[in-house]
Amino acid sequence: MQGWQIQGRAGARRGTGARCWRRLAAMAGVVAASLGVAAPPVAAPTHEVYVWQRVWNEPLRGALGDSRDLFSGVRVLVAQVSGDGRWQATQADPAALTGDARRRVAVVRFDGAGQAPVAESLLAELRPLLARWQSGAAPFAAVEIDYDCGTARLADYAERLRTLRGGLPAGLALSVTALPAWLDAGELDGVLDAVDESVLQVHAVQRPAAGLFDAASAERWARAFARRTTRPFRLALPAYGTRVYFDDAGQPRAVESEARLEDRPALPGEELAAEPREVLSLLARLRADPPAHWQGVAWFRLPLPGDRRAWTLAALREVIAGTLPRARFEVRLTPQANGAHDLALANGGTVAAPAPALRVATACNAHDAVGDWIAAGDATRLRFLPKPGFRLPPGRTSPVGWLRCAQAPVVTIEDSQAKDVQ
C-alpha cells in the first residue's frame, strides 16, 4: 500500500515504466448486478485508515486514540512477506485497540516481486495471530492481502485467494488491494469474485512524472472499477508525501517516506506530495455521484507527531469535513547582540506547502542564507529563495538566514505568494 519500491524495499508496486516507479516504496449487489440494476449508492461514505507503522509506540497509541471519532475502521499492517517467502511480523499490538469499537482489518503485505500468497503457509501464520487478537478483545473482522502482481499472474492469484478464503474462520471477510493496472485484464473478475471486498489504490501507481496522485485519473479508475465489481470497495487515498531518488538515467532507484532510509543514496531526488486540493476535489465529485458499491475511503496513512511527510490529523479532519487545509506562513525576525537579525519562516497552518520567497524591503550591508535557503540580489534588492522542492511542514519553523541593516529590517512574503496557502 505504501507505494513505490525499488529492489525489494517495502511497499513495492511493480512493472516496466510505471511499474518500476511503483516497485519502489503501502460491495451490495450480486443479485442487483445480475438483473442489470445498479446497487444503491452509499449516502455517506465512511472513512477508514491504514496503520502502516511497523513499530507501535506511545505516539502511535496516542494517534489511535485521537482519531477514534474520525475513522470508522483501522487497517492494521500485521506482517510483510518478502520475495523469498519470509514472514516479518510488525509490532501491531491488540492492547492498543482493546475497547476500540472500530472495525479492524489485518493487512498482510506481499512483495510484488515475489510469489503469490500460498494459502497453507499464510493460514499457518494467520491463525495464531488472529487468535491472539481475539483473546485480546480486539478481534479482526477481515484480512486484507496486499500483493501487487502483474496482470499475467492474476489468474493464479485468484485461485490462491479462493483457497485462502476457504481456510479462513467463519465470519472473517477477505479483502484485497487492487491496482488500476488490472482494470483492462479479464482475470480481474476472478480476483474480485474470490474476495468479499476490495480496496482500489489510486496513489503511487504511475510514473514519478505524473506525481503521487492525480484526481482525474483516480476518478476514472474508481468508476471503471465500479463497473467490474459486484462487491463493496473503498478507495485508498493518500495523506502523505514521499521523496524519490533517481539514478543518472533518470530511473527511480529508492523511495523515502515515513522513515528516513538508513542507506539513503547519494542520488538526486524529488519530493512528491498529495495536495489536499486535489484529494478534496475527487471526494466532492464522488460524493455528488457515488460509483456503485463504493463504501468510502481508506486513508494512507495514520499520521503521527513528527512524521514530516504525512498530513497532520487536523488536516485530515478538514479534508474529510470538506474544508481545504491551509499553510499559514509568518516571517520571524530575532535581533542579535551584534546588530544583526536572524530570519526564519514559520508555518502555523495544518498542512505542508512549498515555502514562499521572502523580500527584504530594507537596505542591508551584510547577509547570508542557511539550510534550505538561497540569498539573491544585492544590498538594496535582497531576496531569500527556498531551494527547489523545499516544503515547510505545519508547526515547523525554518531558519532562513541572517542580515545586518542600517535600521530594523522589514521582510515580507512576496505578493505573488499568499501568506495563507491552500
Side-chain angles (χ1 to χ4, degrees), residues 57 161 384:
N57 51 23
L161 287 170
F384 286 91

Side-chain angles (χ1 to χ4, degrees), residues 11-167:
R13 296 287 181 226
R14 55 186 289 274
T16 59
R19 288 182 187 172
C20 180
W21 165 223
R22 294 195 303 267
R23 191 186 233 178
L24 294 174
M27 289 178 169
V30 173
V31 175
S34 68
L35 297 174
V37 179
V42 292
T46 57
H47 297 265
E48 298 184 350
V49 67
Y50 281 98
V51 184
W52 210 248
Q53 289 81 1
R54 278 69 167 171
V55 177
W56 283 44
N57 51 23
E58 286 308 312
L60 186 143
R61 291 179 172 83
L64 285 171
D66 292 342
S67 65
R68 285 192 183 191
D69 64 325
L70 187 62
F71 304 118
S72 63
V74 289
R75 294 179 175 260
V76 179
L77 179 68
V78 296
Q80 280 192 219
V81 181
S82 62
D84 58 4
R86 288 181 296 110
W87 175 278
Q88 300 167 316
T90 69
Q91 293 181 7
D93 181 9
L97 288 167
T98 299
D100 191 321
R102 289 178 291 188
R103 182 174 187 261
R104 288 172 288 275
V105 179
V107 184
V108 181
R109 165 74 185 148
F110 281 79
D111 185 342
Q115 294 300 309
V118 177
E120 292 77 10
S121 58
L122 179 54
L123 287 168
E125 296 284 1
L126 275 175
R127 284 172 181 141
L129 183 147
L130 296 173
R132 182 167 64 90
W133 283 69
Q134 178 79 36
S135 64
F140 285 110
V143 171
E144 179 179 340
I145 305 302
D146 182 9
Y147 174 57
D148 54 355
C149 66
T151 54
R153 295 186 180 182
L154 286 178
D156 176 60
Y157 186 29
E159 182 61 33
R160 293 172 186 241
L161 287 170
R162 283 190 287 271
T163 303
L164 174 62
R165 183 70 192 85

Side-chain angles (χ1 to χ4, degrees), residues 154-155 158 161-162 182-195 224-225 227-231:
L154 286 178
L161 287 170
R162 283 190 287 271
W182 298 352
L183 285 169
D184 293 330
E187 294 81 2
L188 174 60
D189 295 336
V191 172
L192 297 178
D193 287 344
V195 298
F225 192 77
R227 294 191 292 269
R228 295 295 301 273
T229 186
T230 59
R231 312 277 170 87

